[in-house]
Amino acid sequence: ETGVTQTPRHLVMGMTNKKSLKCEQHLGHNAMYWYKQSAKKPLELMFVYNFKEQTENNSVPSRFSPECPNSSHLFLHLHTLQPEDSALYLCASSRLVGDEQYFGPGTRLTVT
Amino acid sequence: AQSVSQHNHHVILSEAASLELGCNYSYGGTVNLFWYVQYPGQHLQLLLKYFSGDPLVKGIKGFEAEFIKSKFSFNLRKPSVQWSDTAEYFCAADNYGQNFVFGPGTRLSVLP
């Protein structure tokens, strides 16, 4: 356990569905991150939040919509996804942006 | 764009062999450097980090890495690997909270 939890751990959704991924950190950190980990591709940083404010959006399609209501919670809202969006989605947190990151176990997403 | 490259995709060693995994980054200026490890079925976790100071950094489980600024490198080393070191190793770089990038990873298999 790293102090970062993610739910659900597995998710199968159709291309017309809307779903949300949840991340919670119990470490008192101020920065939170979403990553996408696909087979045979490097870990891709999607979004960064620092003190609840989004500071980075790495050209992520609008079908992925992040939300950070407070420093402990981070959501990734999903709608009209494509099969190529199937991947492991990792959440991480750090005390400050640029510090070492603590990762959650990930949500394995399959888009059918 | 900033990038991080890792020299080897898959390394296979026998127990007690020495390990060196290469990492190069393309950032200019000051950079923070990290090595993360992902053991089978476990979370990504930090092995070691370099922010400033002594360029030879020691991490957990007997790992160390050397920052060589002139070569833009941050290679990971361990004098004698164990079967339990079998994992995927990721190098990462960050420019003080901007442009956090992971390398593609190196899979290490240690044969008993």
Side-chain angles (χ1 to χ4, degrees):
Chain A
E1 282 297 323
T2 62
V4 181
T5 58
Q6 291 186 243
T7 54
R9 295 292 304 274
H10 300 271
L11 177 63
V12 179
M13 60 185 288
M15 289 192 284
T16 58
N17 291 160
K18 289 185 181 181
K19 296 286 184 183
S20 296
L21 310 184
K22 180 182 175 182
C23 175
E24 184 173 1
Q25 57 96 359
H26 311 275
L27 301 168
H29 288 167
N30 298 299
M32 296 188 77
Y33 311 76
W34 279 116
Y35 288 89
K36 177 182 179 183
Q37 188 174 32
S38 307
K40 301 181 181 178
K41 289 180 73 175
L43 201 62
E44 300 171 61
L45 178 63
M46 300 174 72
F47 301 105
V48 181
Y49 277 81
N50 191 32
F51 291 94
K52 302 187 297 177
E53 299 296 322
Q54 186 175 312
T55 60
E56 199 159 334
N57 173 346
N58 279 354
S59 304
V60 179
S62 59
R63 57 185 183 270
F64 295 92
S65 173
E67 179 191 1
C68 188
N70 54 61
S71 292
S72 299
H73 294 86
L74 185 65
F75 294 89
L76 188 62
H77 303 300
L78 316 171
H79 64 99
T80 58
L81 294 192
Q82 305 297 311
E84 60 265 28
D85 297 322
S86 298
L88 182 68
Y89 288 84
L90 293 171
C91 175
S93 71
S94 63
R95 188 177 59 89
L96 298 171
V97 174
D99 284 346
E100 68 176 273
Q101 295 177 34
Y102 292 76
F103 284 83
T107 295
R108 174 70 61 188
L109 173 67
T110 303
V111 181
T112 60
Chain B
Q2 286 82 355
S3 66
V4 174
S5 60
Q6 293 182 235
H7 303 171
N8 310 96
H9 178 62
H10 188 192
V11 173
I12 303 173
L13 296 173
S14 297
E15 275 195 312
S18 65
L19 170 72
E20 181 159 2
L21 301 182
C23 171
N24 286 91
Y25 61 93
S26 67
Y27 292 59
T30 306
V31 64
N32 296 335
L33 296 160
F34 308 81
W35 275 98
Y36 285 84
V37 61
Q38 189 169 30
Y39 297 104
Q42 293 190 29
H43 305 177
L44 266 166
Q45 58 185 283
L46 184 74
L47 261 184
L48 48 79
K49 62 185 178 185
Y50 172 79
F51 282 10
S52 64
D54 188 343
L56 186 61
V57 179
K58 294 194 184 300
I60 61 171
K61 304 187 180 185
F63 286 91
E64 65 178 32
E66 185 175 12
F67 169 56
I68 303 180
K69 189 174 181 178
S70 61
K71 296 184 178 180
F72 295 87
S73 70
F74 189 56
N75 292 355
L76 181 71
R77 299 194 294 249
K78 185 170 184 178
S80 175
V81 294
Q82 301 171 309
W83 177 78
S84 58
D85 293 324
T86 294
E88 187 139 20
Y89 292 81
F90 296 89
C91 183
D94 171 80
N95 181 223
Y96 285 133
Q98 306 293 321
N99 305 307
F100 195 92
V101 176
F102 274 83
T106 297
R107 187 154 61 98
L108 172 66
S109 299
V110 180
L111 307 177

